[in-house]
Structures are given as structure tokens and as C-alpha cells.
Amino acid sequence: MIESRCGILCGECSFREQMGCVGCTQIQKPFWGDSCPVKSCCEEKVHTHCGQCGSFPCPLLNQFAYDEKQGDNGKRIDQCRKWKETET
């Protein structure tokens, strides 16, 4: 089941329960701000997740995945690849 646009596994997110978040695929506006550039980009291109994009993994997704403070060392990128593999 696809939980996010960028590959984050929402079920593993420590903020999910605390913030009442159901995942960015199910909400209009993320709890952490007015918008998420990755979510916006993915939805503008009418993709379910970033792995479906011809530019995957793009600089924007890489920036988030490898962010020093909030990145996951590429784990979300790997997850998008797994979602893509199950679609084909």
C-alpha cells in the first residue's frame, strides 16, 4: 500500500499518531506546513508516488532523502523503487 508520495513509510513515522496524520496521499495540506514540494510535484504530474516519474530520483527528492537533519539516507527512494516494481 502506497502511504506517501516520496516513499516515506507513514506507519513508521513518529508524528503520525501524534498529529493525526493519515499520510500525504490522503490529505490536502501536510501537518508540517502549507505545502510539501515533493507532494505538490508528484500530484501535478498525476503520479501516485515519485517512483512513477521519468525523472526519478530527481534532485528535489534526493535533497529531501539525504537532508542532514530530516533525511533517511535514501530509504524513501528505495521504497519508491519497491512500489514501482510491484506495479509492473
Side-chain angles (χ1 to χ4, degrees):
M1 179 181 148
I2 293 159
E3 301 178 47
S4 68
R5 304 288 182 212
C6 70
I8 287 178
L9 294 175
C10 298
E12 296 177 5
C13 178
S14 60
F15 295 107
R16 183 180 185 155
E17 198 170 303
Q18 178 183 349
M19 301 304 292
C21 183
V22 293
C24 71
T25 60
Q26 305 296 317
I27 59 175
Q28 293 296 317
K29 180 180 166 186
F31 68 84
W32 58 90
D34 288 333
S35 66
C36 170
V38 175
K39 173 179 168 45
S40 297
C41 178
C42 195
E43 290 174 355
E44 286 170 10
K45 294 179 179 180
V46 194
H47 296 311
T48 304
H49 61 85
C50 291
Q52 296 173 328
C53 185
S55 299
F56 174 78
C58 71
L60 178 62
L61 183 60
N62 275 309
Q63 177 186 344
F64 277 81
Y66 293 101
D67 179 77
E68 190 175 306
K69 292 183 180 178
Q70 297 185 23
D72 56 12
N73 205 27
K75 184 177 175 182
R76 70 188 75 192
I77 293 172
D78 292 337
Q79 185 59 52
C80 283
R81 283 191 181 104
K82 289 176 187 175
W83 287 338
K84 178 68 177 171
E85 289 172 5
T86 62
E87 295 169 356
T88 56

